[in-house]
Amino acid sequence: MPPTELTATSRITLFPLHHLSVAYTTHSSDSRGLGDIGVVAVLHDDLSTGEELWKLAERLGGRNAVHDQARWILTQACRARIVTSGDQPRTPWTAVIGRRYALGSLFANHEILMTGRMTLPRA
C-alpha cells in the first residue's frame, strides 16, 4: 500500500512504547462515526513508517503471525487509553499511513488497524 495521508480532529491517546512515543486514535470508515479503524502511529518522527510497531510486536510480544502482531499493537494502544496515559481531547492530527491491516473480525472494537507516523500541532 502506498503511504496515505489522513487528517482529522479527534481524541488522541499518547503513550510510550519501549523507545517510541506513540499516538492512538480511532477513525471511521463511513459517516456513522463508529471508530472502526484503529490508528496507531509513531509520533513526530519524520523517518518512521510505523514498521517499528510491528517489529516490537514480534520482539517484545513474541508474535510471529501478522494477525497476532496487529492484535498486540491494538492491545497496547487500548491499554494506554484505559489507564488514560495521556489523553488529548479534540486534537487535530495528521498521519501518514504506512500499513493498513484488515483484522478479519472485530478486535478491541476495530475491524482495521492502520499504522504509520503522526504529527500533532506543537504547543
Side-chain angles (χ1 to χ4, degrees):
M1 168 182 141
T4 302
E5 187 172 295
L6 294 176
T7 300
T9 298
S10 60
R11 175 182 170 196
I12 299 285
T13 299
L14 306 175
F15 63 100
L17 185 59
H18 197 53
H19 63 283
L20 302 173
S21 294
V22 179
Y24 164 62
T25 192
T26 60
H27 196 66
S28 298
S29 61
D30 60 29
S31 62
R32 295 177 295 168
L34 299 176
D36 54 317
I37 301 170
V39 180
V40 184
V42 177
L43 193 60
H44 297 299
D45 182 345
D46 293 339
L47 301 177
S48 176
T49 62
E51 287 303 305
E52 303 92 327
L53 296 166
W54 296 89
K55 289 175 185 166
L56 282 178
E58 182 180 3
R59 279 189 250 137
L60 296 179
R63 307 296 190 257
N64 292 321
V66 174
H67 186 74
D68 291 336
Q69 291 171 359
R71 292 168 62 105
W72 186 88
I73 292 167
L74 279 172
T75 298
Q76 304 315 305
C78 290
R79 182 179 300 155
R81 180 157 283 182
I82 289 168
V83 299
T84 60
S85 177
D87 275 358
Q88 306 286 319
R90 297 212 34 86
T91 301
W93 55 270
T94 300
V96 177
I97 303 302
R99 190 189 292 202
R100 178 187 189 278
Y101 183 78
L103 295 160
S105 62
L106 202 60
F107 181 78
N109 208 37
H110 300 303
E111 294 178 346
I112 296 169
L113 169 64
M114 291 185 173
T115 58
R117 69 177 175 268
M118 184 180 290
T119 56
L120 305 175
R122 302 268 183 194

